[in-house]
Amino acid sequence: MYDFAYHKPSSVADAVALLGDSEAKALAGGQTFIPVLKQRLNKPSAVVDLAGLGLSGITVTATTVTIGASTTHVTVANSAEVKKAIPGLANLASWIGDVAVRYRGTIGGSLANNDPAACYPSAALALGATIKTNTREIAADDFFQGMFTTALEPGEIILSASFPIPEMSAYEKFRNPASRYAMVGVFVAKTASGVRVAVTGASQGGVFRHTAFETALSANFSASALDGIATPADGLNSDIHGSAAYRAHLVGVMAKRAVAAAA
Amino acid sequence: MPQVTLTVNGKTASVEVEGRTLLVELLRDKLGLTGTHVGCDTSQCGACVVHVDGKAVKSCTMLAVQANGAAVTTIEGLAAADGTLHPMQEAFRENHALQCGFCTPGMVMSAIDIVATHPDGLSEAEIRHCLEGNLCRCTGYHNIVKAVSAAWPVMHGKVAAE
């Protein structure tokens, strides 16, 4: 790892000022970023630790679950309120990485990084979350813009993510057996206005909505409604762990399991 | 260079580090606590697991500066002053839960966290799920799971330790 200056600001304004340096990078839980630094894939002059900004915490209202950006995966996974309001979201958090990673990794870091195999982006997109930053609110549909790419401007910091509470939701992922990231993960959310299905891990373009599945499930919320609906393999990841065609098949299998788990 | 002040195994340490210094490097290279191992150095294997403010974390994936002000416990801090092993260490010994021993410090630290966070009971399936972040390349998982299971009642005061 190259060396860098370390800053731990105690206010969002100070953090934004420090990130005004184009060579500076924000550090959330570090469970992706520190390995990236070790591989010398990134060479920031300064690292701005966001842990002192007081952005941790969960607020649940009748309609919304709002999770502070610095909230760790284990906190979401163990939250009785989240389990009750959006069980699919708590379950998703309980299967990210491993115990030690879940103690350090944060929801804000996961959303900002938008790793194509990360779990949280699928929940944000399927639930129609709103990402609140220091300057604005961004709808999940506009937030995720491709592999490792989001709507965030340089120096913009996520403060929280708000998830509308659905009628039913569930997440199922086919895990890479060694590293446990989502080779394919599918989040299904049923609301009064219809069903949304988001797929992570599968596509070269990162998380995406599966509109064919959404249409079928909005008409009939059961796993059998997905029978015969093929997922195109075009643009899906193909690597030593699975071909694009295999991932396309897994999308259907995981979606059916998620619907069965939610219903 | 940044100054990091933290408590390690009950003792205060104040150490000058670089921004890039990892917690595991601080423990091993600055404090000489080489019981914490670096296995994969890619946050997969869990040989480097220590407790930071009571939580099992991978010390190869945390900067030393992030531990400023924290209380850290390593494998060296588990046994009593008279050498009496921690119940988890004793359970590993009793159940032959180690072969080469390289993964053992991280396994023990993770295992203690697992037992502590499951006060109402701990199934074999839960132990295996919770140990996913710790790899044993001797593949001695079966006895490790047995040891964690055996330590649960002792740590929770359900049976007297012998």
Side-chain angles (χ1 to χ4, degrees), chain A residues 50 52 54 112 114 125 134 139 157 162 190 196 201 210 218-219 221 237 258:
Chain A
L50 306 180
N114 193 18
L125 192 57
N134 56 306
I157 298 172
S162 291
K190 181 179 187 298
R196 287 168 66 114
H210 201 308
S218 293
F221 193 71
N237 292 317

Side-chain angles (χ1 to χ4, degrees), chain B:
Chain B
M1 294 214 295
Q3 189 80 15
V4 173
T5 302
L6 71 177
T7 307
V8 180
N9 299 331
K11 290 182 201 156
T12 302
S14 196
V15 185
E16 198 171 71
V17 298
E18 292 183 302
R20 63 178 168 180
T21 303
L22 298 168
L23 177 58
V24 70
E25 293 169 340
L26 182 156
L27 295 171
R28 289 178 56 88
D29 303 341
K30 303 275 185 182
L31 302 181
L33 295 169
T34 53
T36 301
H37 293 164
V38 178
C40 68
D41 202 22
T42 57
S43 50
Q44 311 245 351
C45 80
C48 67
V49 169
V50 301
H51 293 182
V52 176
D53 292 331
K55 295 169 181 170
V57 304
K58 291 180 170 173
S59 61
C60 84
T61 312
M62 182 170 176
L63 301 173
V65 285
Q66 290 179 289
N68 191 37
V72 177
T73 305
T74 70
I75 191 75
E76 289 93 341
L78 293 183
D82 67 358
T84 304
L85 295 179
H86 183 282
M88 188 62 73
Q89 293 174 303
E90 183 60 34
F92 268 60
R93 195 183 71 79
E94 277 290 319
N95 290 280
H96 187 55
L98 61 158
Q99 291 177 42
C100 86
F102 192 87
C103 74
T104 309
M107 283 285 181
V108 169
M109 300 312 287
S110 287
I112 290 170
D113 184 276
I114 293 164
V115 171
T117 54
H118 289 80
D120 300 325
L122 187 57
S123 69
E124 181 185 333
E126 286 172 321
I127 295 171
R128 289 185 185 273
H129 174 50
C130 291
L131 277 179
E132 282 180 345
N134 293 77
L135 303 182
C136 167
R137 289 300 71 164
C138 305
T139 70
Y141 295 104
H142 188 65
N143 284 354
I144 292 169
V145 173
K146 271 168 59 181
V148 180
S149 200
W152 185 89
V154 181
M155 282 180 62
H156 286 294
K158 306 287 185 189
V159 295
E162 289 178 16

Side-chain angles (χ1 to χ4, degrees), chain A residues 43-88:
Chain A
K43 190 185 177 184
S45 60
V47 167
V48 181
D49 189 346
L50 306 180
L53 305 184
L55 297 178
S56 186
I58 297 170
T59 310
V60 180
T61 67
T63 56
T64 309
V65 172
T66 300
I67 302 176
S70 299
T71 309
T72 60
H73 307 322
V74 74
T75 304
V76 175
N78 290 343
S79 165
E81 285 184 295
V82 177
K83 283 184 194 173
K84 185 160 173 271
I86 314 181

Side-chain angles (χ1 to χ4, degrees), chain A residues 5 14 22 31 54 90 115-116 119 139 168 176 179 216 221 231 234 237 245:
Chain A
D14 288 350
S22 63
Q31 299 306 286
D115 188 300
C119 295
M168 289 184 263
N176 172 282
S179 302
F221 193 71
T231 300
D234 297 345
N237 292 317

